[in-house]
Amino acid sequence: MQEDRRLAVLRAIVEDYVSTREPVGSKALVERHRLGVSPATVRNDMAALEEEGLIAQPHTSAGRIPTDKGYRFFVDRLTQIKPMSAAERRAISTFLEGAHDLDDVIQRTVRVLAQLTQQIAIVQYPSLARSTVRHIELVSLSPSRLLIVLILSTGRVEQRMIELPADLDTGSLSSLRSRILHAAVGESITDAANALGALTEQTDHVNRTHVAVIATALVEAMSNERQTERVVVGGTANLARFGDGFDQSIKPMLEALEEHVVLLRLLGEATSSDSLTVRIGAEGPYQELSSTSVIATGYGPGDDAVGSLGIVGPTRMDYPGSMAAVRAVARYVSTILDQA
Amino acid sequence: MQEDRRLAVLRAIVEDYVSTREPVGSKALVERHRLGVSPATVRNDMAALEEEGLIAQPHTSAGRIPTDKGYRFFVDRLTQIKPMSAAERRAISTFLEGAHDLDDVIQRTVRVLAQLTQQIAIVQYPSLARSTVRHIELVSLSPSRLLIVLILSTGRVEQRMIELPADLDTGSLSSLRSRILHAAVGESITDAANALGALTEQTDHVNRTHVAVIATALVEAMSNERQTERVVVGGTANLARFGDGFDQSIKPMLEALEEHVVLLRLLGEATSSDSLTVRIGAEGPYQELSSTSVIATGYGPGDDAVGSLGIVGPTRMDYPGSMAAVRAVARYVSTILDQA
DNA sequence: CATTGGCACTCTGACCGACGGAGTGCCAGA
DNA sequence: TCTGGCACTCCGTCGGTCAGAGTGCCAATG
């Protein structure tokens, strides 16, 4: 009984504080939410909640604000992700459908996510780990210079320009090209890397160095290091909206956004599709970002995540709405990538 | 005589204000700069400068700060671009040399520019206008789906996935491929677009629609619209450093940085290499950015600019240093692109 | 005629104390 | 177990004062 009401009070505090940005007092609470009790009763409940560490008061005789622990409780126990409206779903899908290529998909994803949540959106490029080699093209720029283009099943194109140790005539190049294609096309990138290694071994002495150089470049291009390092950030302008006491944390925030490695760590743990990771305040590894929360999830065809995406905002954020948006966008991106 | 001193006073005011961020008074001025005169004299000069609209005082009996006009005068007449130190030059070149491909060059450029100037750096992708077609590859993904890869002399790779109106067997594809290559490779993108149009005309009825679809996709990929739309921004964290009265303009600034179209307009007028465009405060087209200045220049091999780069910062910025950095980076990027 | 010292004036920013308001904690009563 | 009442605390604001910095102007000087 009382326990139920206490949780209702906690929920009400979180909701009010999120929308008003001001500590919420007992009187305002009973007015805005139809709890059937008096302010005094609420005050007792508040005292109990504070005892448990779920809320706190910034100063004696100010209203209460949720603590990180309070938000955590709210997210875990007091809320369901609210479904997106039909209009929102339509907006997401039409906006994402219009994309030309992978770059464009990512760009648009970041935009729509930032737009929906009014927070900062982060999208990681899909990892190549599970992708296969669609095509390899060797383009002779000059007798000793070669442009290597690697096309993967995700639609990602990698290119490398290399210097050959010696000139290579077009005949050799074309036979070399078909051998490489034969070895690598259709294979996963790990298998392709192995096949290219084997191919180097099998090659006669004359062309060995050429093949070795090319294979090295290809393998390097395939290694997903550079790839998964890439993240795109959007909605930075929303930082300004965070406003108020957030001024101090705007600097570390901006710095973090520049450091893609940091962003990757923030997204990092969200590896599986269809489950949201919510990190609240100081739960994260960066104390500079202790007043921010992260909502992230994996995306990718099926249940395998090939990348992560999410948002970053102040701990005082609309969790149900943001979680819904992140999940919805992740799903749409997954289906889009599946089609491509 | 007096005129010379007045300009010296203006210069001193600009320099002091830039470094201290505070209105500078007559007394402080004679102490920090060895002008051989008394504060009273300087006050007279200040009154004259204010008369001319070059400086202003925020409030009666505060020090003076330069107006936009004052900065303009300073930039045009009172300063030379100071050369970069050897260490700085080395830092730029080694950092940029390490780039793998075009994307990487741009990324690194933005970083080094932001680092050197401690401002926000903007780099536009090179325009395709002057580039030529190096190679075109048609990759059959399924009988009716084709991946088109366009490789340009700038090292830029564009890709498009298209649906064919009907299936296409590998024989036709390969002949089609060689005809397209023959028509387009080595041509400038405008010529290539024309050649592809002509090719469509010459094609027999059976394959006409295929060629038309492919040509359309290629031409669309060549059109430099999407390409030159792309800009990369870095050093956003420096926004926080601007600090102080800049708080109000941080929001429009962040918004502008999200809107790449706006950034392009900011860079836009800097079309020729080897000449710096400096836009100070309200001189720009955006009144929201009236307290910021832009320093931009074109870059590209020879004297032809294939793209622009520059920085954005508060009007109160170190113009000589920033101008030197922008110019130096543009030159290095040009040479790098020339090599590639 | 340019320069200088002196002087009165103005404005800002910091500091201080008072005060109203919002909110709490606690207690006694229903 | 809930509620009304009451005393208390603390914040934010407002008005006033004050020192400091800087100016403008004027008369004197080389």
Side-chain angles (χ1 to χ4, degrees):
Chain A
M1 275 298 106
Q2 321 111 294
E3 192 58 22
D4 285 355
R5 194 189 52 230
R6 273 187 199 165
L7 299 187
V9 168
L10 175 57
R11 170 191 280 124
I13 290 174
V14 170
E15 288 172 357
D16 275 22
Y17 182 60
V18 163
S19 66
T20 66
R21 299 181 171 186
E22 274 171 13
V24 25
S26 54
K27 194 176 160 197
L29 214 53
V30 296
E31 280 168 7
R32 294 180 44 124
H33 304 262
R34 314 249 166 193
L35 313 167
V37 294
S38 77
T41 311
V42 172
R43 281 206 285 282
N44 290 329
D45 294 338
M46 282 173 154
L49 289 170
E50 186 162 13
E51 190 72 17
E52 296 178 57
L54 295 170
I55 58 178
Q57 40 188 347
H59 321 283
T60 318
S61 100
R64 305 305 218 288
I65 62 175
T67 60
D68 287 359
K69 192 176 168 190
Y71 284 120
R72 165 60 55 201
F73 197 94
F74 175 78
V75 167
D76 289 346
R77 309 267 310 271
L78 296 180
T79 186
Q80 292 110 314
I81 302 178
K82 54 184 171 200
M84 310 237 68
S85 74
E88 285 170 317
R89 295 177 159 280
R90 223 175 317 124
I92 299 175
S93 66
T94 52
F95 190 62
L96 291 184
E97 302 282 355
H100 301 294
D101 56 18
L102 181 63
D103 283 346
D104 210 15
V105 171
I106 303 293
Q107 293 272 7
R108 283 165 183 257
T109 303
V110 118
R111 275 187 119 84
V112 78
L113 200 50
Q115 187 65 36
L116 282 173
T117 61
Q118 294 284 81
Q119 314 279 9
I120 295 170
I122 309 175
V123 179
Q124 179 189 17
Y125 265 76
S127 148
L128 303 186
R130 302 203 163 253
S131 61
T132 59
V133 175
R134 266 280 215 236
H135 189 76
I136 291 169
E137 191 56 48
L138 308 180
V139 184
S140 174
L141 301 180
S142 80
S144 72
R145 296 178 75 194
L146 211 54
L147 179 65
I148 300 182
V149 181
L150 171 68
I151 301 169
L152 296 155
S153 58
T154 47
R156 181 82 199 147
V157 176
E158 288 288 325
Q159 46 172 321
R160 292 288 183 284
M161 194 110 52
I162 58 170
E163 293 284 338
L164 294 174
D167 287 2
L168 187 63
D169 63 280
T170 48
S172 313
L173 177 62
S174 117
S175 81
L176 215 157
R177 169 173 173 278
S178 62
R179 290 180 59 212
I180 288 178
L181 280 176
H182 186 72
V185 168
E187 304 295 327
S188 75
I189 62 165
T190 45
D191 292 349
N194 293 335
L196 287 171
L199 185 67
T200 312
E201 297 301 316
Q202 296 158 16
T203 307
D204 58 57
H205 189 66
V206 188
N207 285 319
R208 170 81 60 97
T209 48
H210 285 141
V211 177
V213 169
I214 295 169
T216 308
L218 279 170
V219 170
E220 195 262 325
M222 286 174 193
S223 93
N224 61 0
E225 279 194 18
R226 279 197 57 244
Q227 183 66 344
T228 53
E229 253 174 25
R230 292 190 61 183
V231 287
V232 178
V233 178
T236 332
N238 292 326
L239 256 181
R241 270 191 339 92
F242 295 173
D244 300 346
F246 215 73
D247 294 344
Q248 339 124 9
S249 47
I250 198 171
K251 190 183 168 193
M253 193 63 224
L254 280 170
E255 280 167 0
L257 292 176
E258 292 259 307
E259 279 308 320
H260 290 183
V261 187
V262 172
L263 297 182
L264 284 167
R265 275 195 68 187
L266 287 181
L267 290 182
E269 292 177 4
T271 44
S272 81
S273 305
D274 215 61
S275 96
L276 287 171
T277 303
V278 181
R279 197 180 290 173
I280 294 166
E283 293 173 7
Y286 299 101
Q287 57 281 57
E288 297 89 352
L289 302 181
S290 63
S291 53
T292 61
S293 288
V294 179
I295 299 177
T297 185
Y299 68 87
D303 269 355
D304 310 317
V306 297
S308 303
L309 58 80
I311 59 151
V312 183
T315 46
R316 177 224 308 125
M317 71 159 72
D318 170 20
Y319 290 94
S322 301
M323 289 166 77
V326 168
R327 195 179 58 178
V329 170
R331 285 183 181 167
Y332 276 102
V333 174
S334 300
T335 60
I336 298 255
L337 288 182
D338 221 1
Q339 290 164 23
Chain B
M1 274 297 106
Q2 320 112 293
E3 193 57 22
D4 284 357
R5 194 190 51 229
R6 274 188 198 163
L7 299 187
V9 168
L10 175 57
R11 170 190 279 125
I13 289 174
V14 171
E15 288 172 357
D16 275 21
Y17 183 60
V18 164
S19 66
T20 66
R21 300 181 170 187
E22 274 171 13
V24 25
S26 54
K27 194 177 162 197
L29 213 52
V30 297
E31 280 168 6
R32 295 179 44 123
H33 304 262
R34 315 250 165 192
L35 314 167
V37 295
S38 77
T41 311
V42 172
R43 282 205 285 280
N44 291 329
D45 294 337
M46 282 173 154
L49 289 170
E50 186 162 12
E51 188 73 17
E52 296 178 56
L54 295 170
I55 58 178
Q57 42 188 346
H59 320 283
T60 319
S61 100
R64 304 307 217 288
I65 62 175
T67 60
D68 287 0
K69 193 175 167 191
Y71 284 121
R72 166 59 54 200
F73 197 94
F74 175 77
V75 167
D76 289 346
R77 309 267 309 271
L78 296 179
T79 185
Q80 291 111 315
I81 303 177
K82 55 185 170 196
M84 309 238 71
S85 73
E88 285 170 317
R89 295 177 159 279
R90 223 176 316 124
I92 300 174
S93 67
T94 53
F95 190 62
L96 291 185
E97 301 283 355
H100 301 295
D101 56 18
L102 181 63
D103 283 346
D104 210 15
V105 170
I106 303 293
Q107 292 273 7
R108 282 165 183 256
T109 303
V110 118
R111 275 188 119 86
V112 78
L113 200 50
Q115 186 66 34
L116 282 173
T117 61
Q118 294 284 81
Q119 314 279 9
I120 294 170
I122 309 176
V123 179
Q124 179 189 16
Y125 265 75
S127 149
L128 304 184
R130 303 203 163 254
S131 61
T132 58
V133 175
R134 263 290 209 228
H135 190 75
I136 291 170
E137 191 57 48
L138 308 179
V139 185
S140 173
L141 301 180
S142 80
S144 71
R145 297 178 75 196
L146 210 55
L147 179 65
I148 300 183
V149 181
L150 171 68
I151 301 169
L152 296 155
S153 58
T154 48
R156 181 79 199 150
V157 176
E158 288 287 326
Q159 44 172 322
R160 292 287 183 286
M161 196 109 54
I162 59 171
E163 292 284 338
L164 292 175
D167 286 4
L168 187 64
D169 63 279
T170 48
S172 315
L173 177 62
S174 120
S175 81
L176 215 156
R177 171 174 173 277
S178 62
R179 290 179 58 213
I180 288 177
L181 280 176
H182 186 70
V185 167
E187 305 294 327
S188 75
I189 63 164
T190 46
D191 292 350
N194 293 336
L196 286 171
L199 186 67
T200 312
E201 297 301 316
Q202 295 159 18
T203 307
D204 57 58
H205 188 65
V206 189
N207 284 320
R208 170 83 59 98
T209 48
H210 285 141
V211 177
V213 170
I214 295 170
T216 307
L218 278 170
V219 170
E220 194 263 325
M222 285 174 194
S223 93
N224 61 0
E225 278 193 19
R226 278 197 59 244
Q227 182 66 348
T228 53
E229 251 175 26
R230 293 189 59 183
V231 288
V232 179
V233 178
T236 331
N238 292 326
L239 256 181
R241 270 190 339 91
F242 295 175
D244 301 345
F246 214 73
D247 295 344
Q248 339 124 11
S249 48
I250 198 171
K251 190 183 169 193
M253 193 63 223
L254 281 170
E255 280 167 0
L257 292 176
E258 292 259 309
E259 281 308 320
H260 289 183
V261 187
V262 171
L263 297 182
L264 284 167
R265 275 195 67 187
L266 286 181
L267 290 181
E269 292 178 4
T271 44
S272 81
S273 304
D274 215 61
S275 96
L276 287 172
T277 303
V278 181
R279 196 181 290 173
I280 296 166
E283 293 173 6
Y286 299 101
Q287 58 282 56
E288 297 89 352
L289 301 182
S290 62
S291 52
T292 60
S293 289
V294 179
I295 300 176
T297 185
Y299 68 87
D303 269 355
D304 310 317
V306 296
S308 303
L309 57 80
I311 60 151
V312 182
T315 46
R316 176 226 306 124
M317 71 158 72
D318 171 19
Y319 290 93
S322 300
M323 290 166 78
V326 168
R327 195 179 57 179
V329 170
R331 286 184 179 165
Y332 275 103
V333 174
S334 300
T335 59
I336 298 255
L337 288 182
D338 220 2
Q339 290 164 22

